[in-house]
Amino acid sequence: VNKHKPWIETSYHGIITENNDTVILDPPLVALDKDAPVPFAGEICAFKIHGQETPFEAVVLNKTSGEGRLRAKSPIDCELQKEYTFIIQAYDCGSGPGGTNWKKSHKAVVHIQVKDVNEFSPAFKESVYKATVTEGKIYDSILQVEAIDEDCSPQYSQICNYEIVTTDVPFAIDRNGNIRNTEKLSYDKQHQYEIMVTAFDCGQKHATEDVLVRVNVKPVCKPGWQDWNKRIEYRPGSGSIPLFPSIHLETCDGPVSSIHTTIELQTNYIGKGCDRETYSEKSLQKLCGASSGAIDLLPSPSTTTNWTAGLLMDSNDIIFKFDGKQGAKIPDGIVPKNLTDQFTITLWMKHGPSPGLRAEKETILCNSDKTEMNRHHYALYVHNCRLVFLLRKDFDQADTFRPAEFHWKLDQEWHYYVVNVEFPVVTLYMDGTTYEPYLVTNDWPIHPSHIAMQLTVGACWQGGEVTKPRFAQYFHGSLASLTIRPGKIESQKVISCLQACKEGLDINSLESLGQGIKYHFNPSQSVLVMEGDDIENINQALRKVSYINSRQFPTAGVRRLKVSSKVQCFGEDVCISIPDIDAYVMVFQANEPKITITGMDHFARPAAQFESERGVILLPDIRIVSTVTKMEHPVDLGEHDRANKQVVVEEMLHNLDFCDVLVIGAELDPEQECLELDHGELQGKHLDATNSTAGYSIYGVDSMFSYEQVLRQLRYRNWGTSATSDRKFRVKCSELNGRYTSNEFNLEVNILHSSNSNFMDHVNHMIVQPQFLQSVQHPEGSVSAVHNSVVPSVATIVIIICVSILVFVITLGVYRIRTAHQHSAAEHEGAKENEMDWDDSALTITVNPMEKYEKPHQTEEESEEEDIDDEEEDTTSAESDDSEEEEEEEEEEEVIVQKGDKQNATRQEQLEWD
């Protein structure tokens, strides 16, 4: 009999692992029945779960023991539901096999928790994170990244750590996702950083996809000039080019009231302080209109000026360097002893490092006693960073104190110094600016003596008070263009011209500058100062500042630029600071010109012409042409086409500074020959000339055309031709004091010693047909037929003999004609055309005088043929060679010549003799 109900625990707690069907219960699922061991009544047949859509079921494992199992009907997903609670009851088997009269237990509560599995990876909320930082700052947190995990349990759903995957970046991240910078960032170094970040959940599962973080670096607002280039390129002939065409000033909204800007072009290391003309001192003085009579004390070494041969020299700019061991003696007679009360000393000087205070004097120029005594009559020297000019006057009138030493402060850089002496006043010009001496000391005059004086450069000659006369007080530094001009002082205009820089700063379109802009140039235009109140006006003004170099062949190299600015603010003691600009101008090398001299290089003239008062013009057709060769670089050509680059030769115009006509071989004998030039040819030109037995030198800065004009008037005279048969000359020209030189043009002149010189002169003109350059693009075909201009001596003799015979025969024929036809002589004074015919047996000449034409254009020929002299007859025979050759094989016939006027009668005459 089924008397009792089954019994189970009142509550159960179970755990099921996600994606599994087994539930672990505590306590285990067991039902007890007091009717046991009676079959059916004491057995447990079922466990029933009460609850809607409960995903669990309970099964009986053993009816007798009442053991059961709770399991999931389908996989359990923790992410859908973490916990389940339901009611369970146990049922016995009733009173029989059919399960009738079954009894159920009380209801028990079952609470099941789903155990999570770490099946999901962390994922970031954003696909890309962005942030902007200002350079130069350290941030605690630039931005925060956040990742989530879809797992249900705290263990697997929480993010326990973040990590930066990108290496070598100045950033760090904490476990909460906050990114910070580990060092100060620089906009100039890097504008933007891109870093990859990953996340880890507490199960140490990392994100499947890393996230990109962009950090932009924003430059801190720095006051200063912006949008300028450090390198500015300058090509010769470009004129004026702007230095900073896009520059502007950033003030970071500072309360600026005024701006003061200084632009400095630094050229101290170029030549003599800047790019100046490198012509010789003589040529420059002629060009600037200086007074004549300047004596160059430091000329280029030559046979006539050999006292500078032992000095260290920079040949490009004729700069002499003195290292404290050299001195040069000026030969006697170069500089007059009496300079008078007015004279000028000019020089370029760069003083070397100073040895220190109380150092020995460093002599530039010194005139001292040659022997016996050690008196300095006048000197220019450096002492303790001072330039001192000493002038000791001779004792002449009164034995009184007189100004003797004049002191000026000295700069170490290149400067052009001019000492103008108008005793007792001495004025110094440095780079064209006047400087009065800050100290003048007096001294007694020098008593007269018969001791000779020695003028020296670079040191002073000590002739007395020593065992052996020697140099002393050596100079340290560089000197150039040291001249002395006795009897005259130079004007400030000429001084400014002589030292003028050919490069400097410039302002394009001054009229467009704002009204509030003030500007000032220094004399050499190497420093420009600008000042204004409005920032935009200053920007516009600075964009117009340019560099200009007026030399056709400038010195290549770097010119440094420095721009410094000062800013004033409204009523504030602390104001913004503007950094300096350091830039440079790169001046390119100019194309090197090729100077070519062409003309007739060989001719002969009768001795009589050389002996005449005017002589013979040496270079009647000389031509000077300068060309430059340029390589074209087509942009569209590849590497294989580089070899086919076109070479373009262009003619260019530039000045010359000297042309020398030198005698090749023995020098001219002044007793019988000379070169002459009318000095009137030099008027109106910047040219001068010197003559010697070695040749003729024309110098001065002027155009090639002016040099051609003068050279074409140069004459050669020889009044002793019997001792000379030929002369050879060489012409060579230069630009920039020998920097560019021409070819050596050689000329040979033959003097003809012959009684028939007039004829030979004509023959010479007929034969010589020189070919000149027709195009500067093809100089290789310049002179081709010139070398055939003079007939060899044997051929000359044969020609003279043959032509003499022909002249004699023609003269005899003309004489016979006039004798036979005296009645018609007046009608036959016009042009005559000779017809000559030779046969094998005898010489026969037939002359048909033509009737006189009335046309005006033939009167000149008639007048020329009235006087039949040797030269005209030679001309007639030469001009009629072609007609004679055609008529040699013809029979003698009558020649009928009609007058221009049809009313005149026709005449025909024939004369013949054998």
Side-chain angles (χ1 to χ4, degrees):
V1 177
N2 190 9
K3 295 181 179 180
H4 299 91
K5 296 186 293 185
W7 177 90
I8 59 175
E9 298 286 344
T10 56
S11 65
Y12 292 91
H13 186 273
I15 296 175
I16 184 171
T17 302
E18 189 177 19
N19 299 324
N20 199 347
D21 62 348
T22 302
V23 178
I24 300 175
L25 286 178
D26 182 26
L29 181 59
V30 176
L32 300 176
D33 196 329
K34 290 183 177 181
D35 293 327
V38 178
F40 302 108
E43 294 177 340
I44 303 298
C45 280
F47 290 98
K48 289 187 178 179
I49 296 175
H50 302 282
Q52 296 180 354
E53 299 180 358
T54 301
F56 296 95
E57 62 180 359
V59 293
V60 177
L61 298 179
N62 190 324
K63 291 182 179 181
T64 303
S65 63
E67 183 180 357
R69 177 186 294 175
L70 187 66
R71 64 185 181 187
K73 292 186 284 186
S74 62
I76 302 299
D77 190 352
C78 176
E79 284 73 35
L80 293 178
Q81 190 169 344
K82 298 180 181 181
E83 295 179 351
Y84 292 91
T85 302
F86 52 87
I87 300 298
I88 190 170
Q89 284 182 311
Y91 288 81
D92 61 14
C93 295
S95 59
T100 57
N101 298 321
W102 51 264
K103 293 183 182 292
K104 58 182 179 181
S105 66
H106 61 271
K107 294 180 179 178
V109 178
V110 179
H111 182 77
I112 297 177
Q113 288 183 332
V114 181
K115 184 179 179 181
D116 189 21
V117 175
N118 193 8
E119 57 183 335
F120 292 99
S121 300
F124 288 94
K125 287 185 175 182
E126 302 289 340
S127 59
V128 177
Y129 288 88
K130 297 179 181 179
T132 301
V133 297
T134 302
E135 65 173 344
K137 294 177 64 178
I138 295 290
Y139 290 82
D140 293 333
S141 176
I142 297 175
L143 79 162
Q144 184 181 21
V145 297
E146 185 178 359
I148 58 174
D149 195 318
E150 294 182 355
D151 290 314
C152 63
S153 64
Q155 180 183 2
Y156 299 134
S157 65
Q158 288 184 358
I159 306 299
C160 285
N161 194 21
Y162 291 92
E163 187 176 303
I164 294 176
V165 178
T166 308
T167 58
D168 298 329
V169 289
F171 298 95
I173 190 169
D174 61 15
R175 61 186 305 164
N176 295 321
N178 294 306
I179 298 176
R180 60 184 176 85
N181 58 320
T182 57
E183 62 184 50
K184 293 181 180 180
L185 305 181
S186 170
Y187 176 80
D188 296 332
K189 182 180 179 180
Q190 193 166 341
H191 297 353
Q192 185 186 72
Y193 292 88
E194 292 187 349
I195 57 178
M196 303 301 294
V197 175
T198 191
F200 293 89
D201 61 18
C202 293
Q204 293 303 306
K205 192 168 189 176
H206 64 82
T208 55
E209 291 186 4
D210 301 333
V211 72
L212 173 66
V213 179
R214 283 198 183 99
V215 179
N216 294 310
V217 181
K218 183 177 66 175
V220 66
C221 186
K222 296 179 181 179
W225 297 103
Q226 297 184 358
D227 296 336
W228 53 273
N229 293 324
K230 188 176 184 66
R231 174 187 171 105
I232 302 104
E233 295 183 350
Y234 185 87
R235 300 188 181 278
S238 300
S240 179
I241 62 166
L243 295 173
F244 311 110
S246 304
I247 197 170
H248 70 276
L249 180 64
E250 176 61 62
T251 60
C252 298
D253 300 326
V256 175
S257 61
S258 66
I259 306 169
H260 182 279
T261 301
T262 302
I263 305 102
E264 182 181 1
L265 180 68
Q266 299 174 345
T267 59
N268 294 334
Y269 45 89
I270 300 294
K272 305 190 197 89
C274 71
D275 210 358
R276 294 180 168 93
E277 295 292 5
T278 56
Y279 295 115
S280 67
E281 189 65 19
K282 276 188 177 181
S283 298
L284 275 178
Q285 289 181 355
K286 185 73 176 179
L287 185 64
C288 292
S291 304
S292 59
I295 302 166
D296 192 356
L297 300 181
L298 285 176
S300 297
S302 66
T303 54
T304 56
T305 58
N306 57 2
W307 63 87
T308 58
L311 301 178
L312 299 175
M313 177 181 170
D314 182 353
S315 57
N316 288 334
D317 298 319
I318 318 182
I319 297 174
F320 293 89
K321 298 180 180 179
F322 296 85
D323 58 0
K325 299 177 183 178
Q326 297 97 5
K329 291 184 181 179
I330 309 299
D332 296 338
I334 299 295
V335 178
K337 294 182 179 180
N338 183 16
L339 296 179
T340 72
D341 285 343
Q342 286 189 345
F343 60 93
T344 301
I345 299 174
T346 66
L347 72 151
W348 283 98
M349 179 179 68
K350 181 181 181 181
H351 186 233
S354 177
L357 295 179
R358 296 182 300 278
E360 188 181 38
K361 297 177 181 178
E362 298 179 51
T363 300
I364 301 168
L365 179 69
C366 179
N367 190 31
S368 59
D369 290 333
K370 185 177 289 188
T371 58
E372 300 182 25
M373 303 182 72
N374 190 27
R375 299 176 302 175
H376 295 185
H377 298 264
Y378 62 86
L380 186 65
Y381 60 89
V382 177
H383 190 214
N384 288 341
C385 294
R386 299 290 186 267
L387 181 65
V388 182
F389 177 65
L390 169 70
L391 180 61
R392 299 285 301 278
K393 299 296 290 183
D394 292 336
F395 177 81
D396 49 6
Q397 296 178 354
D399 192 5
T400 59
F401 261 5
R402 295 188 179 187
E405 284 188 359
F406 305 84
H407 298 247
W408 298 272
K409 294 181 180 179
L410 180 67
D411 191 1
Q412 301 288 337
E413 299 298 334
W414 272 112
H415 292 289
Y416 184 63
Y417 297 91
V418 178
V419 180
N420 264 357
V421 179
E422 284 183 288
F423 194 79
V425 177
V426 178
T427 305
L428 174 70
Y429 293 89
M430 188 176 74
D431 296 336
T433 305
T434 308
Y435 291 88
E436 297 297 332
Y438 77 92
L439 174 65
V440 178
T441 59
N442 297 336
D443 204 345
W444 297 101
I446 294 179
H447 288 273
S449 68
H450 299 289
I451 301 175
M453 291 180 287
Q454 177 65 62
L455 182 61
T456 56
V457 174
C460 197
W461 185 252
Q462 189 171 356
E465 303 177 0
V466 290
T467 307
K468 182 180 178 181
R470 58 179 176 83
F471 280 119
Q473 301 175 1
Y474 289 100
F475 178 72
H476 296 78
S478 298
L479 298 175
S481 304
L482 176 60
T483 68
I484 189 166
R485 181 180 288 104
K488 294 180 181 178
I489 61 171
E490 207 54 85
S491 67
Q492 188 165 3
K493 179 180 179 181
V494 172
I495 293 171
S496 299
C497 173
L498 289 172
Q499 62 86 35
C501 283
K502 295 300 180 180
E503 64 178 342
L505 300 174
D506 194 16
I507 298 180
N508 293 331
S509 60
L510 282 171
E511 63 277 359
S512 64
L513 283 181
Q515 294 182 354
I517 301 297
K518 300 177 183 178
Y519 68 93
H520 171 71
F521 283 102
N522 69 334
S524 62
Q525 287 195 215
S526 61
V527 177
L528 169 62
V529 179
M530 306 179 77
E531 189 173 353
D533 301 333
D534 185 74
I535 295 177
E536 186 55 35
N537 284 346
I538 284 288
N539 290 339
Q540 293 289 343
L542 200 56
R543 290 170 192 161
K544 298 179 186 299
V545 176
S546 59
Y547 169 81
I548 187 171
N549 193 317
S550 60
R551 291 192 67 193
Q552 193 170 12
F553 305 104
T555 302
V558 171
R559 275 71 162 169
R560 294 190 183 95
L561 275 170
K562 185 176 182 180
V563 181
S564 55
S565 305
K566 293 181 180 179
V567 176
Q568 290 184 350
C569 298
F570 290 101
E572 293 187 11
D573 295 335
V574 179
C575 197
I576 60 176
S577 175
I578 306 297
D580 293 344
I581 289 179
D582 289 314
Y584 64 93
V585 179
M586 172 57 72
V587 179
F588 287 101
Q589 183 75 43
N591 289 321
E592 185 169 336
K594 180 182 179 182
I595 307 171
T596 306
I597 303 176
T598 59
M600 182 170 60
D601 64 352
H602 199 168
F603 68 85
R605 295 287 187 275
Q609 292 191 21
F610 290 97
E611 294 172 353
S612 64
E613 182 179 352
R614 298 290 294 174
V616 173
I617 293 179
L618 275 184
L619 306 161
D621 51 7
I622 190 170
R623 187 158 182 240
I624 306 173
V625 175
S626 181
T627 58
V628 290
T629 302
K630 297 181 180 179
M631 303 291 289
E632 285 193 349
H633 301 275
V635 179
D636 55 344
L637 293 182
E639 289 292 335
H640 61 282
D641 294 324
R642 295 290 174 88
N644 299 325
K645 289 185 291 188
Q646 296 182 357
V647 178
V648 180
V649 181
E650 296 180 355
E651 182 175 352
M652 72 178 302
L653 299 177
H654 58 77
N655 292 328
L656 300 175
D657 59 353
F658 73 79
C659 281
D660 289 338
V661 181
L662 303 175
V663 179
I664 302 177
E667 292 189 358
L668 298 177
D669 184 359
E671 298 296 330
Q672 64 178 20
E673 56 183 340
C674 67
L675 292 172
E676 291 182 343
L677 178 68
D678 293 335
H679 279 271
E681 300 294 337
L682 303 176
Q683 291 183 357
K685 302 178 178 68
H686 298 293
L687 298 178
D688 209 340
T690 57
N691 193 3
S692 69
T693 58
Y696 212 95
S697 180
I698 302 166
Y699 62 89
V701 183
D702 215 324
S703 65
M704 291 183 288
F705 177 71
S706 295
Y707 270 90
E708 284 180 356
Q709 285 183 313
V710 174
L711 287 171
R712 288 173 183 173
Q713 303 303 318
L714 185 64
R715 304 185 307 276
Y716 171 59
R717 284 183 60 204
N718 191 323
W719 53 93
T721 57
S722 59
T724 308
S725 60
D726 60 10
R727 266 294 185 189
K728 294 181 181 180
F729 300 92
R730 177 174 295 153
V731 184
K732 189 174 183 179
C733 296
S734 155
E735 163 67 335
L736 295 177
N737 205 24
R739 179 177 173 186
Y740 304 116
T741 57
S742 71
N743 61 315
E744 293 183 350
F745 176 73
N746 295 320
L747 170 67
E748 183 174 351
V749 178
N750 291 104
I751 303 174
L752 300 178
H753 303 282
S754 173
S755 59
N756 199 9
S757 60
N758 288 336
F759 167 74
M760 196 58 216
D761 183 33
H762 176 72
V763 170
N764 185 72
H765 278 86
M766 292 296 292
I767 294 175
V768 178
Q769 297 292 337
Q771 297 178 4
F772 302 109
L773 275 175
Q774 299 300 323
S775 171
V776 295
Q777 273 78 8
H778 306 284
E780 62 273 10
S782 59
V783 182
S784 60
V786 179
H787 297 289
N788 299 323
S789 60
V790 177
V791 182
S793 58
V794 176
T796 303
I797 297 173
V798 174
I799 291 175
I800 293 174
I801 294 174
C802 294
V803 175
S804 300
I805 296 173
L806 180 60
V807 171
F808 173 78
V809 173
I810 294 174
T811 305
L812 180 60
V814 174
Y815 176 76
R816 292 283 299 276
I817 291 170
R818 289 187 173 180
T819 305
H821 302 280
Q822 292 181 357
H823 62 279
S824 60
E827 298 177 6
H828 301 288
E829 294 173 357
K832 298 179 179 63
E833 186 174 313
N834 302 333
E835 181 179 309
M836 293 173 285
D837 190 9
W838 288 266
D839 56 22
D840 296 337
S841 60
L843 178 63
T844 303
I845 297 178
T846 302
V847 179
N848 292 315
M850 298 175 62
E851 294 291 335
K852 180 167 63 178
Y853 280 71
E854 298 290 333
K855 293 182 181 180
H857 69 274
Q858 291 184 345
T859 57
E860 183 178 352
E861 292 180 3
E862 294 169 1
S863 63
E864 289 177 357
E865 292 184 0
E866 284 177 4
D867 298 330
I868 303 176
D869 55 11
D870 292 350
E871 183 175 352
E872 290 171 341
E873 286 169 0
D874 295 348
T875 306
T876 304
S877 64
E879 291 174 349
S880 62
D881 283 346
D882 296 339
S883 62
E884 289 171 1
E885 290 174 1
E886 295 173 0
E887 294 173 357
E888 282 179 0
E889 297 178 356
E890 298 179 356
E891 299 294 332
E892 296 178 358
E893 62 180 356
E894 297 177 354
V895 179
I896 301 175
V897 182
Q898 295 183 354
K899 291 185 179 180
D901 189 349
K902 293 182 180 181
Q903 296 177 358
N904 293 334
T906 302
R907 301 192 180 195
Q908 176 181 344
E909 294 186 8
Q910 182 176 0
L911 299 123
E912 180 180 358
W913 67 92
D914 56 16

